[in-house]
Amino acid sequence: MSEHTTEAVVQAPAVQDESLILEAVKEFFENRVAAVGLVIFIIMIGVALFAPYITPQNPYDLMSIDIMDGKLAPGSKSFDGSVTYWLGTDSQGRDMFSSILYGLRISLGVGVVSTIIALVIGAVIGLWAAFVGGKTDSVIMRIVDLQLSFPAILVALILLAILGKGVDKIILALILVQWAYYARAIRSNVIVERSKEYVEAAKCLALPQRRIMFSHVLPNCTPELIVISTVKVASAIALEATLSFLGLGMPITEPSLGLLISNGFKYLQSGYYWISFYPGVALLILIVSINLVGDRLRDVLNPRLKR
Amino acid sequence: MLAFLIRRISQSAVVLLVMSLLVFVGVFYIGNPIDILIAPDATPAEYARAVHELGLDKPLWEQYTIFLKGALHGDFGNSFVYNEPALKVILDRLPATLELAFTAMFIAVIFGIPLGMVAGMKANNWIGRNIMRFSILGFSLPTFWVGLMLIIIFSVQLNWLPSGGRGETVMLLGIPVSFLTLSGLAHLILPATNLALFKTSLAIRLTRAGVQENMQMDYVKFARAKGLSETRVIGLHVMKNIMIPVITVLGMEFGSLIAFAVVTETIFAWPGMGKLVIDSIGVLDRPIIVAYLLITVTMFIIINLVVDILYSILDPRVRLGQER
Amino acid sequence: MSTPLLEISNLKTHFFTRAGVAKAVNGISLTINKGEVVGIVGESGSGKSVTGFSIMGLVDEPGRVVGGSIKFKGRELLTQSVEEWRNFRGNEVAMIFQDPMMTLNPVLRIDTQMIEAVRTHEKVSKAEARKRAVEALAMVGIPSPEERVKAYPHQFSGGMRQRVAIATGLLNRPDLIIADEPTTALDVTIQSQILSEMQTLCRKTGMSLMWVTHDLTVIAGLANRVAVMYAGKIIEEGAVEDVLDKPLHPYTEGLVGSVPSKNHRGEPLYQIPGMTPSLINLPEGCSFRMRCPKATEKCHCEPPVTETANGRRVCCFHPNL
């Protein structure tokens, strides 16, 4: 066999081909709903990143808020007439629109950061389990199965009951809740990929184990990982919001969307619905848009996985 | 079967042991209970005596054995807030949580399975597609958000149903239940619906997938070829094949209903153990937290075990220990 | 001649898929007389199974019978109501499927599945229906049927399950059994056992049998008459001995030539070149012309059906006459 043909076999099939990626992008946009979801998601990221430049006030700068503006209905003018609160104000007189954008920032940040870290940890452990095999593999997978048999909320609850509140703690909890999914997904993917011809070929070339793992097998698991992590970002954001709503997650100083909803919950009965309703709507739009993107990605990327 | 039972039970025991260690170390060791139990202005001598009395000067493993011994006898210490044994405080609230969880499961089964069957048989028309859209929504919406919406719509705006609390209860076989009274039912509907939403979506998906898979099977065609009516083919042949996995998965999910009840109970001020634990975490009532976590995990493990056994009884292929 | 048991004329069953219309059965005519065993031979995708399902009224979506007629004892089937179809299936005509592992419902006991087949057509007591089930099982050679009837399908081997399926088909003493490759999934030894049992059964009960298979050797030992299908059409039909000994259609000739036999040991087997055409894009004229060694310009037109002596029919411009 000549050098050239060997390389061709060793080339991991699906991912490196640029035209395939282009094709996937095109296919993605054929679905209008998913395209809209993606646009909304990008806008959400944009407004979250640039919140300080867009919002009419910094809701956490005590100088810019006025308690006299507390609990104003959506569309009201501020006490001194300088600002219009399109989404109303909370009990402290903070503009809800500004609060939501800042909250979005925190929610997205926590969700994305924890997902990325969990993904890396899960991927490494999953790869390790798959390649080492034997006892190590079965012990790791036992732990994974065990953890996945408990609902995420219970695992997070146990952790936060032990650790207490804090941004670092909730990120830790979200990582611990998520890593097992990635570990399992990677492991099963790697085991499938490993039996394929191009890995055999790489082995025949006596490429080092590590190189085969990272530059040949892992790229072929990427589509699957993209799909899972998109969906998992949404569920991490939802879980953070739930925990914060329960008063277990973010501290008062880091008001994520969940915390905003929780703060407004007290006033719900008294008719000041907007204090929790609008942050809720923002959360909903965020989660649904991510899920739409994730669902479409699954459809677009899966046929490539099946080859 | 016996070997299977013994293996599963010993596995469960190990899991429980690990959990108890984790919770013990986490709650009692990382957070030092002394600081809460003793006045801040206590002298070092008083402090040392308290430490000694509570056994906190003993090595960790010894403290853990003492804790474990107590836990095995149902003694998790007294609640700081209620000044009653933690176990009793929790068991008092267990019926409310169980009632909520059972009602939610009931709703999920009676709505989810028929909807899933319709969605499976009419996958390509608008009814099937809308059912699936509903289930996607049910999956992606956070439970607490839906709970809020239910309150805003049905309590605040329409004023049809109460927004929180548990209604009047009556004793049924020595257990207080609320679904037999009118006010109890009114209070139960919203939280149970809220808790059921996720499981309903799950039931729809499972049933739909099962129907679609089974309708393709030769045995369905053979049953039709025998001249059976469509009602019998679907109602008996297909249903019996679907029910086994659906019931198994839903059974497994019952534990997570109890876990998720934490959210629903907090929103609807339902006096169950979920709300209790959230309140207790707020005031650092450690015995309650520990007891709740261990009881929930135990329930979880028991549920999984029971479902596994039921599954093997229900499915003739598994029952006889043969391969498919 | 009296009315034939089954008379199919110009039957068309098409599948309306996203990729186009697949003409699985494209105008076939076939008669089966009482007591006759007819073999339908063809490659997979030639429409032989769909023919069987069309007779049973069990063509799955997106398939539909779009033309022709199926007459059973002189009665048109295609215009039957849902209820008439239900009474017809399993009662007058029974069907047995290819994979015995899949045809019985895995979670229902054999007795449940057999009793319901009796009771859906006849108002008899459960005990009576069970008695009949046990008799039927005994008839197909299942040992200690009183015990075995209480078992679940997975407790039987493949061959035994197929016997159960056959027994289920026999329950209502149908006039015709359509067997859709019932022995393909079985071991060769079991296959020959079941074949000979089926033969005996037909002779004893006088029922007709339509045996669908891709295996010419099965037909050779079993059937009186054979119809060869290719791309949704019957291209040759006649008495088994005639067709196998002296095939008229080039395709049949290829089929017969590709069967290993004692007389030709050591010689290379004949292969029909090329592949079965896609049913969505059938070529104009004769569908076999692309693979046919005898094809000429003429074959771009629809080939005529030639009837020869002893009731043989062939659909070809260049038959081996």
Side-chain angles (χ1 to χ4, degrees):
Chain A
M1 199 189 262
S2 75
E3 179 83 34
H4 183 75
T5 47
T6 318
E7 267 306 311
V9 176
V10 177
Q11 277 286 323
V15 191
Q16 270 110 343
D17 198 335
E18 271 183 32
S19 67
L20 274 178
I21 294 175
L22 264 178
E23 202 182 291
V25 170
K26 227 188 253 165
E27 206 180 320
F28 183 94
F29 283 101
E30 274 169 21
N31 185 319
R32 287 280 162 78
V33 182
V36 170
L38 184 64
V39 170
I40 292 176
F41 182 47
I42 291 171
I43 292 174
M44 290 280 220
I45 294 176
V47 296
L49 282 177
F50 299 108
Y53 308 101
I54 305 170
T55 52
Q57 69 169 210
N58 178 352
Y60 303 102
D61 174 11
L62 289 176
M63 298 298 288
S64 69
I65 60 171
D66 188 343
I67 193 84
M68 299 298 286
D69 289 344
K71 293 187 263 188
L72 291 180
S76 317
K77 290 258 182 210
S78 67
F79 186 65
D80 55 15
S82 60
V83 204
T84 308
Y85 299 121
W86 291 111
L87 300 182
T89 61
D90 71 1
S91 59
Q92 306 293 310
R94 290 189 197 103
D95 173 33
M96 284 317 294
F97 177 68
S98 310
S99 299
I100 288 171
L101 294 199
Y102 275 82
L104 200 59
R105 206 179 152 105
I106 296 166
S107 287
L108 253 173
V110 168
V112 171
V113 167
S114 64
T115 303
I116 291 172
I117 300 176
L119 174 65
V120 172
I121 295 175
V124 170
I125 294 179
L127 267 177
W128 184 46
F131 267 81
V132 175
K135 264 237 166 74
T136 323
D137 180 36
S138 66
V139 167
I140 292 175
M141 283 305 122
R142 253 312 145 68
I143 296 171
V144 166
D145 286 343
L146 181 67
Q147 198 197 312
L148 291 181
S149 73
F150 292 101
I153 188 141
L154 188 63
V155 177
L157 203 66
I158 293 174
L159 278 163
L160 292 173
I162 292 171
L163 300 173
K165 284 187 192 183
V167 183
D168 49 341
K169 281 149 193 156
I170 194 149
I171 290 180
L172 186 67
L174 291 178
I175 293 169
L176 265 157
V177 164
Q178 291 187 69
W179 75 275
Y181 287 98
Y182 298 114
R184 186 153 79 179
I186 294 261
R187 176 183 169 272
S188 54
N189 249 297
V190 167
I191 286 175
V192 172
E193 284 295 326
R194 200 173 42 181
S195 60
K196 291 191 180 161
E197 280 168 29
Y198 71 92
V199 175
E200 285 299 316
K203 274 189 196 152
C204 291
L205 287 176
L207 291 180
Q209 180 87 295
R210 205 166 357 106
R211 169 122 185 252
I212 300 178
M213 254 162 75
F214 285 102
S215 48
H216 295 283
V217 174
L218 198 55
N220 276 286
C221 303
T222 332
E224 168 103 6
L225 283 182
I226 293 173
V227 173
I228 304 177
S229 45
T230 323
V231 178
K232 283 289 155 195
V233 167
S235 69
I237 291 172
L239 184 58
E240 180 272 315
T242 305
L243 292 166
S244 297
F245 176 79
L246 293 175
L248 298 174
M250 304 301 271
I252 295 293
T253 50
E254 303 285 344
S256 68
L257 291 175
L259 209 58
L260 291 179
I261 298 170
S262 171
N263 289 339
F265 185 54
K266 293 193 272 287
Y267 304 102
L268 197 61
Q269 302 289 324
S270 346
Y272 305 114
Y273 70 93
W274 59 89
I275 309 179
S276 45
F277 180 74
Y278 290 117
V281 170
L283 179 71
L284 180 75
I285 294 174
L286 180 62
I287 290 174
V288 170
S289 67
I290 299 177
N291 275 326
L292 287 177
V293 173
D295 262 13
R296 185 63 190 159
L297 279 178
R298 191 199 321 270
D299 293 346
V300 172
L301 294 176
N302 260 359
R304 281 166 185 71
L305 289 172
K306 278 177 196 144
R307 281 209 296 216
Chain B
M1 187 71 190
L2 192 67
F4 164 78
L5 263 183
I6 292 170
R7 203 175 64 231
R8 279 303 309 265
I9 289 172
S10 52
Q11 270 173 9
S12 309
V14 171
V15 171
L16 252 182
L17 209 65
V18 172
M19 287 306 292
S20 71
L21 190 64
L22 197 85
V23 170
F24 172 78
V25 172
V27 177
F28 278 100
Y29 193 68
I30 295 179
N32 192 346
I34 278 291
D35 301 334
I36 298 177
L37 291 177
I38 204 164
D41 54 351
T43 63
E46 279 173 337
Y47 186 88
R49 207 182 60 231
V51 165
H52 182 73
E53 269 171 11
L54 286 165
L56 294 174
D57 51 349
K58 291 185 179 125
L60 186 60
W61 65 267
E62 212 180 316
Q63 289 185 43
Y64 173 65
T65 347
I66 294 167
F67 161 77
L68 200 61
K69 243 182 228 159
L72 281 177
H73 291 95
D75 177 12
F76 293 94
N78 275 13
S79 155
F80 302 156
V81 176
Y82 300 89
N83 206 19
E84 273 184 71
L87 190 66
K88 182 181 174 297
V89 176
I90 288 179
L91 290 184
D92 282 346
R93 284 160 180 76
L94 185 62
T97 297
L98 286 181
E99 180 175 32
L100 186 61
F102 274 119
T103 313
M105 189 53 91
F106 178 72
I107 293 174
V109 168
I110 60 164
F111 286 99
I113 292 178
L115 285 175
M117 296 203 68
V118 174
M121 286 185 292
K122 316 238 175 244
N124 290 321
N125 75 5
W126 66 273
I127 299 177
R129 267 194 295 240
N130 277 332
I131 292 175
M132 281 320 283
R133 281 194 192 120
F134 167 81
S135 98
I136 290 171
L137 224 60
F139 261 126
S140 49
L141 298 184
T143 306
F144 81 99
W145 190 87
V146 177
L148 278 178
M149 287 303 117
L150 289 176
I151 291 182
I152 290 181
I153 297 169
F154 294 101
S155 304
V156 179
Q157 296 295 324
L158 298 173
N159 209 8
W160 285 354
L161 293 164
S163 69
R166 196 183 186 200
E168 212 179 305
T169 59
V170 288
M171 295 304 261
L172 183 73
L173 306 169
I175 303 163
V177 295
S178 67
F179 71 93
L180 293 175
T181 67
L182 210 60
S183 100
L185 214 52
H187 282 83
L188 186 58
I189 292 175
L190 284 187
T193 309
N194 182 208
L195 193 55
L197 187 70
F198 191 86
K199 302 300 166 206
T200 310
S201 306
L202 184 70
I204 289 176
R205 286 201 167 193
L206 287 170
T207 313
R208 174 178 179 265
V211 168
Q212 287 192 319
E213 191 190 323
N214 278 281
M215 293 297 268
Q216 307 282 322
M217 302 285 237
D218 271 0
Y219 77 78
V220 169
K221 235 177 183 183
F222 189 63
R224 285 184 183 144
K226 288 194 290 194
L228 300 185
S229 64
E230 211 53 8
T231 327
R232 182 149 178 117
V233 172
I234 290 162
L236 180 76
H237 284 252
V238 175
M239 266 305 254
K240 192 141 189 207
N241 275 280
I242 297 171
M243 287 321 278
I244 294 167
V246 170
I247 293 293
T248 311
V249 175
L250 287 183
M252 295 275 191
E253 291 289 323
F254 188 73
S256 87
L257 270 181
I258 289 172
F260 266 98
V262 168
V263 181
T264 303
E265 287 179 8
T266 308
I267 297 172
F268 292 93
W270 186 262
M273 56 184 210
K275 179 159 170 33
L276 174 72
V277 75
I278 294 298
D279 294 344
S280 301
I281 292 175
V283 297
L284 291 175
D285 193 347
R286 293 197 159 87
I288 298 272
I289 301 171
V290 172
Y292 170 83
L293 293 180
L294 288 184
I295 288 173
T296 312
V297 170
T298 311
M299 272 166 50
F300 227 86
I301 289 169
I302 293 174
I303 289 168
N304 282 4
L305 191 64
V306 169
V307 171
D308 262 13
I309 294 167
L310 276 184
Y311 176 69
S312 60
I313 292 173
L314 270 176
D315 193 329
R317 289 161 295 191
V318 181
R319 189 196 313 163
L320 290 137
Q322 291 186 0
E323 282 179 27
R324 276 162 184 242
Chain C
M1 205 167 125
S2 61
T3 343
L5 185 66
L6 182 77
E7 195 174 8
I8 303 174
S9 43
N10 200 24
L11 177 71
K12 287 184 180 172
T13 305
H14 294 177
F15 285 76
F16 298 86
T17 67
R18 221 171 268 177
V21 180
K23 295 167 181 164
V25 173
N26 200 13
I28 66 163
S29 302
L30 182 73
T31 9
I32 297 180
N33 293 310
K34 200 166 155 30
E36 201 175 23
V37 178
V38 175
I40 310 273
V41 188
E43 292 169 75
S44 42
S46 59
K48 54 195 194 311
S49 296
V50 178
T51 308
F53 287 126
S54 303
I55 300 168
M56 295 298 285
L58 284 175
V59 179
D60 276 333
E61 288 285 309
R64 221 163 50 220
V65 175
V66 291
S69 109
I70 305 175
K71 283 196 174 123
F72 189 79
K73 293 181 177 166
R75 185 177 93 232
E76 177 59 51
L77 295 184
L78 294 177
T79 51
Q80 286 185 120
S81 70
V82 173
E83 193 52 27
E84 283 167 333
W85 267 119
R86 202 187 63 67
N87 284 328
F88 167 78
R89 285 183 207 130
N91 194 15
E92 298 186 84
V93 177
M95 187 160 179
I96 305 160
F97 297 153
Q98 178 169 4
D99 190 348
M101 301 298 182
M102 311 296 287
T103 44
L104 299 171
N105 192 328
V107 297
L108 295 177
R109 290 196 333 205
I110 300 295
D111 52 0
T112 318
Q113 301 191 47
M114 292 185 80
I115 289 170
E116 66 178 4
V118 178
R119 281 164 53 97
T120 192
H121 294 297
E122 245 178 281
K123 293 276 152 274
V124 293
S125 71
K126 264 196 178 156
E128 168 65 26
R130 173 187 296 271
K131 212 180 104 219
R132 243 204 255 172
V134 172
E135 283 166 14
L137 288 177
M139 214 192 300
V140 294
I142 286 185
S144 54
E146 300 85 2
E147 303 293 312
R148 302 294 275 158
V149 77
K150 289 183 212 126
Y152 282 95
H154 67 268
Q155 291 165 298
F156 287 91
S157 67
M160 282 298 173
R161 275 189 231 188
Q162 198 58 286
R163 286 195 171 93
V164 172
I166 294 169
T168 310
L170 295 173
L171 283 172
N172 294 299
R173 300 179 197 95
D175 300 300
L176 171 67
I177 287 195
I178 300 171
D180 183 9
E181 307 213 34
T183 56
T184 311
L186 303 177
D187 286 346
V188 182
T189 45
I190 312 277
Q191 177 174 332
S192 56
Q193 278 175 21
I194 288 191
L195 282 176
S196 76
E197 275 158 25
M198 283 308 280
Q199 231 167 359
T200 329
L201 274 173
C202 286
R203 225 167 279 149
K204 251 201 302 208
T205 58
M207 74 184 172
S208 311
L209 186 61
M210 174 174 154
W211 195 279
V212 176
T213 181
H214 63 263
D215 190 347
L216 270 181
T217 49
V218 168
I219 294 297
L222 181 74
N224 314 116
R225 226 146 37 82
V226 61
V228 182
M229 280 191 78
Y230 187 80
K233 289 205 159 102
I234 292 181
I235 47 129
E236 177 162 9
E237 191 201 329
V240 168
E241 316 80 62
D242 297 345
V243 173
L244 294 189
D245 287 349
K246 194 170 173 297
L248 297 182
H249 196 283
Y251 175 67
T252 320
E253 197 178 5
L255 270 189
V256 174
S258 61
V259 176
S261 71
K262 261 188 271 179
N263 312 341
H264 303 284
R265 192 175 294 162
E267 289 170 32
L269 282 175
Y270 179 70
Q271 290 180 27
I272 302 174
M275 307 236 293
T276 16
S278 150
L279 293 173
I280 291 171
N281 285 314
L282 283 179
E284 245 177 87
C286 175
S287 343
F288 187 59
R289 68 178 153 85
M290 321 287 230
R291 306 167 72 185
C292 185
K294 294 184 167 176
T296 57
E297 270 307 304
K298 256 208 282 194
C299 299
H300 287 266
C301 304
E302 200 65 33
V305 177
T306 320
E307 293 211 23
T308 67
N310 14 337
R312 289 190 73 175
R313 286 192 303 164
V314 62
C315 175
C316 182
F317 282 110
H318 311 287
N320 304 328
L321 285 172

